[in-house]
Amino acid sequence: MGKQSILRAVVKLFWGQLSNLGIILVLGKSEMILLMKLVFLCCCSKRELVSAFTLQDEANLQASLLAGYNKDLKPGWDRDVPLQINIRFVLFSIKEFNFNTGKLSVIGLFFINWTDERLAWNPTNYNHTKKTTIPQNKVWLPEIINVNPYDDLTGLRQDHLTIPLQYNGVCTWFAIQSFEVVCDADVTKYPFDTQTCELHFNIWGYNSHEIDLVISSSEIDLSLYVENSIWEIRGATLISPSLKYDKKKRDRRQTWNEMKDTLLCC
């Protein structure tokens, strides 16, 4: 059946529906052509709206992406160029600050993203699938370690959580955790004391020539912060003291990617 025949059939059906409603239209040839065009556009729009990827499309996509994927290898085709990792920190609450033991406990969330070209795809090959989620234990993650813990060294990885993945290979990691660190308190002005505490994190196993750590915002996000009944936050910053990689100079000094959260409490 040709396009014109299909359009005539649709218009006839549409006309029948109008007649059933008691609506009678008198159209000339030009108006009829316009009506056919409008119906055709509506049909196209309807098809666009109902088109969506299925469970099988996403399953095929993930099977293709992970076939031969080595999660132990850092992303980046050019190994001479450091992988850029963008990061920012959101502080939710101060659970505890015991100045007798020097223990600070906070709950926070790292927003981390990077591009893994091996996990990019063409959406048209998978029924316009543009995103998916993959378990953390199946893809490469930067090994971010809290290096000034109160007890044992702890990382951010939690294998039961997932990584949202975009079709252009952008991976986003929402790493939420309770952090316990050492903070030596100065109580000489107690009870009107002000304390400065720091949380130190390293990307383990890589230096600044392999990973370029970019702090998205030097200000720690306090938009979701729940006030503590004892301590008030006067300032909160996130910095990276690592040296920047200079591609022109090819500086080969071995420096480590480090982040430092600084909380000023009183």
Side-chain angles (χ1 to χ4, degrees):
M1 184 180 292
K3 289 184 179 179
Q4 294 296 329
S5 301
I6 294 174
L7 288 175
R8 289 193 183 94
V10 172
V11 171
K12 184 177 181 180
L13 177 62
F14 178 67
W15 195 275
Q17 294 296 328
L18 290 178
S19 298
N20 291 336
L21 294 174
I23 301 174
I24 301 175
L25 299 177
V26 179
L27 300 177
K29 182 178 181 181
S30 59
E31 288 86 355
M32 181 62 72
I33 294 175
L34 177 60
L35 177 61
M36 292 174 69
K37 288 182 178 180
L38 288 174
V39 172
F40 180 70
L41 289 174
C42 290
C43 292
C44 291
S45 300
K46 182 69 174 178
R47 184 178 180 183
E48 293 265 336
L49 289 173
V50 299
S51 178
F53 67 92
T54 65
L55 174 64
Q56 189 60 52
D57 294 325
E58 191 169 10
N60 293 339
L61 168 63
Q62 292 200 9
S64 175
L65 292 176
L66 297 177
Y69 182 90
N70 189 341
K71 66 179 182 180
D72 296 323
L73 292 178
K74 176 177 67 71
W77 298 122
D78 189 347
R79 310 309 273 181
D80 202 34
V81 176
L83 173 68
Q84 179 174 314
I85 295 180
N86 306 297
I87 191 165
R88 68 185 182 93
F89 186 72
V90 179
L91 181 65
F92 292 148
S93 65
I94 297 177
K95 288 176 58 180
E96 175 190 5
F97 181 33
N98 189 324
F99 51 76
N100 292 317
T101 61
K103 177 182 178 181
L104 172 69
S105 178
V106 302
I107 298 177
L109 170 69
F110 278 102
F111 283 88
I112 310 167
N113 67 67
W114 65 91
T115 299
D116 191 335
E117 298 92 339
R118 299 168 297 177
L119 298 176
W121 71 91
N122 186 343
T124 58
N125 295 337
Y126 300 94
N127 196 19
H128 304 286
T129 305
K130 292 186 177 181
K131 60 183 179 180
T132 187
T133 56
I134 296 181
Q136 291 185 12
N137 61 352
K138 292 186 177 182
V139 297
W140 180 88
L141 294 180
E143 198 66 65
I144 299 177
I145 305 294
N146 176 13
V147 294
N148 69 324
Y150 185 77
D151 288 317
D152 299 326
L153 288 174
T154 56
L156 301 185
R157 184 190 299 267
Q158 299 184 54
D159 289 342
H160 61 281
L161 299 181
T162 58
I163 296 289
L165 179 62
Q166 301 294 324
Y167 71 93
N168 55 1
V170 173
C171 304
T172 304
W173 184 13
F174 303 101
I176 184 171
Q177 199 168 116
S178 175
F179 303 102
E180 296 182 350
V181 300
V182 175
C183 181
D184 295 325
D186 180 3
V187 294
T188 55
K189 296 182 179 181
Y190 179 86
F192 305 105
D193 51 315
T194 298
Q195 307 296 334
T196 300
C197 298
E198 295 181 349
L199 293 79
H200 292 259
F201 299 89
N202 277 88
I203 299 182
W204 206 256
Y206 299 99
N207 58 45
S208 58
H209 305 307
E210 297 169 303
I211 287 182
D212 180 17
L213 185 62
V214 177
I215 304 299
S216 301
S217 174
S218 60
E219 296 295 323
I220 291 178
D221 189 341
L222 299 176
S223 60
L224 299 176
Y225 178 73
V226 177
E227 295 289 341
N228 185 274
S229 60
I230 300 175
W231 297 97
E232 175 188 352
I233 290 188
R234 290 290 182 87
T237 59
L238 175 64
I239 64 172
S240 174
S242 302
L243 295 176
K244 288 293 184 180
Y245 175 80
D246 191 331
K247 188 175 181 180
K248 294 181 180 179
K249 294 182 179 179
R250 302 288 183 180
D251 186 355
R252 293 299 177 183
R253 287 176 290 177
Q254 296 296 301
T255 58
W256 301 100
N257 284 287
E258 180 183 354
M259 294 169 290
K260 182 170 68 175
D261 293 324
T262 304
L263 304 179
L264 183 62
C265 308
C266 66

